[in-house]
Amino acid sequence: MDQIVVLGAGVGGAMSANMLRRRLDSSDAEITIVDKSTQHAYQPSYYLLPFGYMEPEDQFRDVSEVMQSGVEFLQGEVTGVDPDAKTVQLADDELSYDYLVVSLGHRLAAEATPGMMEGWEDTDSVFPFYYFDAAMEMREALQDFDGGTFVVSVPDTPIKCGGAPLKMTMLAEDYFQRQGIRDEVDVVMTKGGDAVFGVSPYREKLEEIWSDRDIEFRGGFTVSEVDPDEQVIYSEDGETQEYDFYAPVPPQYGQPALTDNSPLTEGDDEHDGEYVTVDKHRLQHTEYEDVFALGDAGNTPNAKTAAAARKQAHVVVDNLESHMEGRPQTAKYKGYAACPLLTKKGKAMVAEFDYEESISAPVESRMNWIMDINILPSFYWNAWLHGYDPLP
């Protein structure tokens, strides 16, 4: 009987494991999913929690609740992978596999920026909101904020949900308007790149919105250090940005189990060394044919979003099944990603694009807001995670 091991119970791992279980006879394959946490979090809520647009108690489920019967969940921390021996090392165990699906996601690393973690832990003005606890603390702090400089920063590393810092910036500006303190607040976002958003025509639409709402964008500003005592951010080029309220996106990297204790991240791509090296269409490892990767764990040059992982899960499952049966792998991931860009309470536009082109029009609407806040979470929890997705 084939042993299939899935690393990571996030959206990509959970969807892949559940879809494989529904496709493969239980007498032909055993499927084990491994994660260090027993809870699955709806991470797209983290930039909404500070403003009360979603509630914390709705954002978590036990992993066992989202897995199909016949998928074994093993709680454990992955510490390494030996693809030559076909084993996965855990903190206190070892697993053997015939086929491996890697979906361990990004590692948040606020500690990689000097002063960022200290600012969060020791002051009431720094909130790296990609962490759930920081998002909830930010929610409380916003209630007492009555003016000053509000800053969002984007690190010079790949990040999951590249639109989240933009959404945080725009929702904060709108929140200050609603609180009646907008004239007392300067709203700033810094980023190492020179564009608010990297894909047209959404970039041009966002630039128009930010100009109309007096939101400042500081491109070419990569944060190198935070001085939480003086409330100053330093860039790699020696520039400074003062803040009174700071919502940084923390730097993000690959998981040490893969970067330090496996050869799976070695290759020729610019991001290799951090992410599993796969063919960007097949999602199969470029050297170890029994290994596939998806979501934030792979080195595919796409925007890292849940929508991308959802599309990738179909490709991984199709190609893994074909590989197991000795058939040609015909499924191709074309780089699809989608990001609902919430511009203010009740308004959003959806950015959809792939490796080659943009797909959706840059139109703000109330329906896009309703879709993101009211509709997508239900599909996420009740269909997609369980492997039910009739429109891949």
Side-chain angles (χ1 to χ4, degrees):
M1 180 181 295
D2 288 325
Q3 303 292 324
I4 301 175
V5 174
V6 179
L7 304 183
V11 57
M15 277 193 70
S16 297
N18 284 331
M19 291 169 67
L20 284 166
R21 183 68 292 160
R22 291 175 55 226
R23 287 203 193 181
L24 302 176
D25 192 282
S26 59
S27 63
D28 295 330
E30 290 185 356
I31 302 173
T32 301
I33 190 166
V34 184
D35 200 292
K36 64 182 179 181
S37 175
T38 60
Q39 289 196 313
H40 179 104
Y42 185 65
Q43 296 180 55
S45 69
Y46 288 8
Y47 66 87
L48 296 163
L49 292 171
F51 307 105
Y53 298 149
M54 284 190 177
E55 296 302 322
E57 59 269 17
D58 299 329
Q59 310 314 320
F60 297 89
R61 302 282 192 281
D62 287 342
V63 172
S64 58
E65 292 181 15
V66 301
M67 301 313 302
Q68 293 276 0
S69 175
V71 176
E72 179 186 358
F73 170 57
L74 177 61
Q75 183 185 10
E77 182 177 2
V78 178
T79 59
V81 178
D82 184 342
D84 294 306
K86 290 193 172 184
T87 58
V88 174
Q89 290 77 48
L90 307 179
D92 55 3
D93 200 359
E94 183 176 274
L95 290 176
S96 296
Y97 67 84
D98 296 296
Y99 304 97
L100 183 68
V101 177
V102 182
S103 189
L104 286 176
H106 271 138
R107 172 174 61 90
L108 301 181
E111 70 281 358
T113 300
M116 185 177 290
M117 186 64 77
E118 291 82 357
W120 177 23
E121 294 175 341
D122 300 335
T123 75
D124 296 323
S125 56
V126 180
F127 305 93
F129 63 96
Y130 271 54
Y131 297 93
F132 172 77
D133 289 343
M136 292 307 301
E137 292 166 10
M138 182 177 173
R139 183 173 182 160
E140 295 184 13
L142 279 172
Q143 298 175 17
D144 298 325
F145 184 61
D146 58 6
T149 302
F150 177 90
V151 180
V152 175
S153 66
V154 184
D156 196 20
T157 66
I159 61 172
K160 52 186 172 181
C161 192
L166 285 74
K167 292 181 273 191
M168 170 59 71
T169 304
M170 291 185 287
L171 290 177
E173 190 277 337
D174 179 61
Y175 174 84
F176 300 140
Q177 288 276 10
R178 294 173 181 276
Q179 295 300 110
I181 63 170
R182 180 64 181 91
D183 290 343
E184 309 302 321
V185 183
D186 293 322
V187 180
V188 182
M189 190 185 87
T190 73
K191 185 179 181 181
D194 59 2
V196 170
F197 194 74
V199 182
S200 294
Y202 317 108
R203 176 176 65 244
E204 291 79 6
K205 179 63 175 179
L206 288 166
E207 289 173 347
E208 176 186 323
I209 291 171
W210 286 36
S211 177
D212 289 344
R213 290 164 56 178
D214 195 24
I215 299 172
E216 180 183 355
F217 172 65
R218 292 192 66 180
F221 190 108
T222 298
V223 177
S224 64
E225 184 178 355
V226 180
D227 185 335
D229 295 323
E230 297 297 325
Q231 296 190 171
V232 175
I233 307 162
Y234 294 91
S235 79
E236 291 181 348
D237 295 329
E239 298 182 18
T240 61
Q241 172 65 58
E242 296 182 352
Y243 68 86
D244 296 288
F245 198 117
Y246 182 31
V249 176
Q252 296 166 39
Y253 302 98
Q255 298 291 349
L258 304 173
T259 61
D260 300 343
N261 296 314
S262 90
L264 296 178
T265 58
E266 299 172 0
D268 298 326
D269 185 85
E270 63 176 322
H271 296 311
D272 288 334
E274 292 293 335
Y275 303 101
V276 179
T277 307
V278 295
D279 180 274
K280 72 176 186 178
H281 295 297
R282 295 195 313 274
L283 306 181
Q284 182 183 36
H285 197 274
T286 53
E287 181 176 351
Y288 299 97
E289 63 179 12
D290 296 326
V291 177
F292 293 77
L294 74 160
D296 300 343
N299 72 332
T300 50
N302 61 281
K304 307 300 187 182
T305 69
R310 172 191 161 214
K311 290 285 188 178
Q312 290 175 335
H314 288 272
V315 174
V316 165
V317 170
D318 285 349
N319 284 339
L320 176 53
E321 186 178 20
S322 295
H323 177 56
M324 292 172 68
E325 296 175 356
R327 294 185 285 109
Q329 297 177 38
T330 58
K332 290 186 177 181
Y333 173 62
K334 298 180 181 180
Y336 177 87
C339 181
L341 293 167
L342 281 65
T343 55
K344 62 172 61 177
K345 185 178 182 181
K347 292 285 187 179
M349 67 176 175
V350 178
E352 283 185 288
F353 47 93
D354 58 23
Y355 288 143
E356 302 296 333
E357 60 186 358
S358 59
I359 298 170
S360 60
V363 177
E364 289 182 276
S365 72
R366 179 167 179 78
M367 181 52 67
N368 286 336
W369 172 277
I370 292 172
M371 178 190 67
D372 192 50
I373 301 296
N374 302 111
I375 298 175
L376 286 183
S378 179
F379 275 95
Y380 182 94
W381 287 118
N382 299 314
W384 294 336
L385 277 188
H386 294 272
Y388 298 107
D389 188 11
L391 298 173

